[in-house]
Amino acid sequence: MANSFPHGTVHEAAEDLQSALRSDASVYQLWVKLTPLARNEFICWVDDARQAKTRQRRIQRTVEELLEGKKRPCCWAGCIHRTDKTPGRWQQAVLIDRKGRDQPGLDGPAEKANATTTPDAIGDH
């Protein structure tokens, strides 16, 4: 039988994320109701984690945020893998080129907040 799990526009959810979302029928229904683009944002955010511990924390937050009624991951700059839009200056510099957040001229949310975090912690509270 084919995997009928609803994925994103670019990314496919890995087994650990699928399992967490399917473990609660109400969470799974919230996932199904999301647009493919919204699902893609959650999947990319989870997949972007460099460490297993961060990935697990993001999977748990995905479940929590869905239950809170959120349609996108909180504090996530957005998927940089989409081909239907060009990344913004901040996304290009910080997420793609990995130049860091203290570069002059970057007007992203992290610079405005004067925050200093590692790339792996982007989007984690």
Side-chain angles (χ1 to χ4, degrees):
M1 180 176 186
N3 182 353
S4 63
F5 187 86
H7 297 285
T9 56
V10 177
H11 298 285
E12 290 192 5
E15 287 299 320
D16 56 350
L17 179 57
Q18 288 185 41
S19 177
L21 295 169
R22 285 181 164 149
S23 68
D24 180 324
S26 61
V27 171
Y28 184 70
Q29 285 306 310
L30 291 168
W31 180 259
V32 169
K33 290 178 184 178
L34 290 177
T35 65
L37 188 56
R39 290 192 298 262
N40 192 73
E41 294 298 319
F42 276 110
I43 297 167
C44 185
W45 177 61
V46 168
D47 286 351
D48 189 60
R50 292 185 186 177
Q51 298 177 11
K53 186 168 103 175
T54 304
R55 181 180 179 85
Q56 288 307 310
R57 186 171 60 240
R58 289 184 182 184
I59 289 171
Q60 181 59 39
R61 278 197 49 213
T62 296
V63 169
E64 292 167 1
E65 290 184 10
L66 288 171
L67 290 170
E68 292 168 5
K70 299 210 170 112
K71 307 284 187 207
R72 300 278 196 286
C74 177
C75 309
W76 174 241
C79 178
I80 59 174
H81 306 102
R82 290 176 45 199
T83 57
D84 63 324
K85 71 174 190 113
T86 305
R89 280 182 30 203
W90 183 85
Q91 285 178 308
Q92 182 68 43
V94 176
L95 299 176
I96 299 169
D97 298 339
R98 302 276 188 197
K99 288 183 179 176
R101 295 176 175 216
D102 57 351
Q103 294 285 320
L106 293 180
D107 53 358
E111 185 180 68
K112 289 178 183 176
N114 226 4
T116 312
T117 59
T118 62
D120 192 43
I122 294 172
D124 283 336
H125 297 277

